[in-house]
Amino acid sequence: MKTPYLLIAAALSISFAATADEGQWQPHQLAQLQAELTAKGIEIPGKQLADLSQYPMNAMVSLGYCSASFVSPNGLVVTNHHCAYNAIQNNSTKDNNLIEKGFLAKTKAEELPAGAQERLYITESVTDVTAQVSANLAPELTGAARYEAIESNRKALIKSCESDANYRCSVVSFHHGLEYFQIKQLMLQDVRLVYAPSESIGNFGGDIDNFEYPRHTGDYTFIRGYVGKDGKPAPYAIDNVPYQSKNFLKVNATGVRQGEGILLAGYPGRTSRYRLADEIAFAANWQYPAQVKTYQQMINTIDQLSAADADLKVKYASTVKSLNNRMKKLQGLLDGFKVTDIHAIKQQQQQALLDWISSDSSRKPYQQSIVELTQVIDAEQAFTRQTYYFDNAKRSDVLRAAMTLYRLAIESQKPDAEREMGYQQRDLNMIESRLVRMEKSFDPVMDLAIWSEQLAEYLAQPNEVRVVELDSALELSVGMSLADINAKLAALYPRSGLTNTAGRKAWLSKTPAEFAQSNDPFIKVAVAIYEKNKALELEEKTISGQLSQMRPAYMQAVIAYNNAQGKPVYPDANSTLRITYGSVDGYPAKDGVYKTPFTSVKGLIAKRQPEYPFNAPQKLVDAYNNGKTSGYFYQDLAAKTELPWHCKLFSCPQPEVEAFNSVPVNFLTSADTTGGNSGSAVMNGKGELVGLNFDSTYESINKDWYFNPEITRAIHVDIRYVLWLMQYVDGAQNVLDEMDIVR
């Protein structure tokens, strides 16, 4: 039974448009939101925020999977510790574990290569190309044919945009295919590690505290972009020079206080705010539980094998961290669905939309589009159920490398414009980089254990889910034990050349005929299941082509409905540059529990324990206890306590509130964020850096589906804590000297 609070929340949230601080806005939309920005105390005009060539937006950076920002004219970038984890792990060994002890380059010559795959992407332009993408899409064109037509138009636009090889372009769908924008980004290929705190600071609290609050995590790391001597992007070379960033964020050492307005800019990954109620039910009842089981199996296997092998622990540190993060988020989503009936809220939203449609006969086509969309979604969910365990049955890094190489060989026989995206000429460097990266993140023992376990799960599924080609290639049969599977697969690794970098790279230029004749066991499996993979890919394209007609029609209805009420609509997140705004604020976590917006070093020390993940370093404790806090000690009230309701009618004495009196560590805001926003710059009203986004509260995880302004909060590392650690704990004065610090 829903509580009255949830009924009220549903009633207040019928509109699909943004309310309160909700909204992951495209930069060009900020000009329309001037009144909201002014109300938050944001001094930068909306028109300036919409201009990617001006401060502060031209200081924003994407890592391709996280967000970051320039903080010096010499290509210095700040992001999260967990975003730079690959770079730290890439330079770690069991004998020199930089993850555990941290790293500081005192000079640029000491900075370390982040890894062959690492890139910095600087967004320079966002152009509406909807007309070009939709140019030849006749209404009768549907299914896979429609999908391929869209892809062909996208590839042509990308090729024209990438006339300069230093740029990476993409054509991205907004509002689920209603609009398309071309994103042009300068791509820096030489990225280096500058300074990372020890894991006991950068990951304080570990997976126990992940998505929790109060939090005391120093989730920050500095990296740097390099270019050739001519100033143009170039692959790593010892004599490359720091990139001269056109602009960089000023850093405000006084930070923010409760109630102050903030801006947050970054690259949020994926949200599902405009999905149907049936899609929420599918995620809650089938998809998320299946994924939780898979991730937990993998985490258990990695933890078990890593516990007795320091080399494995280093190699799979980044993998297991990512899996733990996904696991906790999924579990939080499932728990959140139980607390807040988002399915019912979505049903009410949809009914309000249908009522609006039926009130005017000219809107009848909208109603038909919703019916058709529901039918395609049913097919999409059936496809997901059908293919989920087969996809997991291919969870071997070696097999995936073999599949990629064989697909590349086949696609390379075609003209570049006709190749599948991801296998064009523009993609070759990244494919090679992934093959090289495996050297630092792969071990046959671990690969075998994970793969065997997932194959056992696959074999336990009904016959209709299984794939004959895979069963035949691996000689699998129902009833095989995990030990049987493991023994059979173990014999494959010594016979394959793909377990080392040279062996993998040797296949980059091979022909399909050479693959077909190979005796490498992993290549033989890749060849055997290729046609099945292609058939499933075609089925997926058919569904995607149908959705490319149905979802835009649905979004037209949603936007028209909100425009009729004078409300702007932001698109779902899609890993492109977005801006959100909010306020520094706590929240009511549960009955009788209000969580204040700041945590402190004083609280961190009280939370400290001898063992990981709460083993804060002694030098941090000593610096604080010895009074080395000048410039970063915050003296203010810890929180403004919400008065009881009757105090708004009658006079009540003000409650006593304990003074904060410490160095702030983390703080909360009402900013609208999701995965991909990790590392996003949190700025004050002047656009000065005051923190880095790194997480959400556990109660907020469901914001991917529904934004509840009462409890949705993002967690940020306070820039005062970062600066204090740099100055008084880690001795990173050389990095501090690069930045423009405002006091």
Side-chain angles (χ1 to χ4, degrees), residues 603-617:
L604 182 154
I605 293 173
K607 197 174 183 178
R608 185 184 184 224
Q609 297 175 12
E611 301 298 325
Y612 176 84
F614 297 103
N615 56 332

Side-chain angles (χ1 to χ4, degrees), residues 123-175:
T123 301
E124 293 192 357
S125 67
V126 179
T127 308
D128 189 338
V129 292
T130 307
Q132 294 93 311
V133 173
S134 307
N136 57 349
L137 302 181
E140 61 272 14
L141 192 67
T142 189
R146 184 180 183 87
Y147 176 89
E148 294 291 3
I150 292 172
E151 289 299 277
S152 178
N153 293 341
R154 289 178 64 213
K155 285 188 282 189
L157 287 164
I158 289 169
K159 183 175 181 180
S160 175
C161 178
E162 291 182 349
S163 55
D164 184 339
N166 295 318
Y167 284 86
R168 189 74 172 182
C169 300
S170 57
V171 174
V172 185
S173 159
F174 289 76
H175 295 300

Side-chain angles (χ1 to χ4, degrees), residues 387-415:
T387 58
Y388 179 79
Y389 292 100
F390 175 51
D391 288 340
N392 282 340
K394 297 176 282 189
R395 274 190 184 272
S396 158
D397 288 340
V398 192
L399 178 57
R400 288 180 171 180
M403 290 165 55
T404 297
L405 287 163
Y406 184 47
R407 182 65 181 271
L408 177 62
I410 291 174
E411 295 294 333
S412 296
Q413 306 300 303
K414 307 173 187 176

Side-chain angles (χ1 to χ4, degrees), residues 16-32:
F16 290 80
T19 57
D21 296 337
E22 176 183 352
Q24 296 170 345
W25 303 98
Q26 293 174 266
H28 74 260
Q29 293 183 288
L30 269 291
Q32 308 166 38

Side-chain angles (χ1 to χ4, degrees), residues 60-68 119-122 185 267 575:
M60 301 305 147
V61 180
S62 169
L63 305 183
Y65 48 86
C66 274
S67 305
R119 301 285 188 274
L120 297 180
Y121 299 95
I122 305 154
Q185 297 177 308
Y267 292 79
S575 298

Side-chain angles (χ1 to χ4, degrees), residues 189-221:
Q189 303 174 54
D190 185 351
V191 183
R192 304 188 194 180
L193 182 63
V194 177
Y195 161 51
S198 65
E199 187 167 35
S200 56
I201 290 174
N203 193 29
F204 183 85
D207 295 319
I208 295 172
D209 270 8
N210 194 16
F211 289 111
E212 301 293 344
Y213 193 84
R215 197 73 172 273
H216 302 84
T217 307
D219 201 347
Y220 70 93
T221 291

Side-chain angles (χ1 to χ4, degrees), residues 334-352:
L334 291 171
D335 289 345
F337 287 148
K338 296 172 186 174
V339 173
T340 305
D341 194 349
I342 299 176
H343 181 261
I345 292 171
K346 283 290 182 183
Q347 286 180 317
Q348 291 188 48
Q349 289 180 338
Q350 285 173 216
Q351 189 57 54

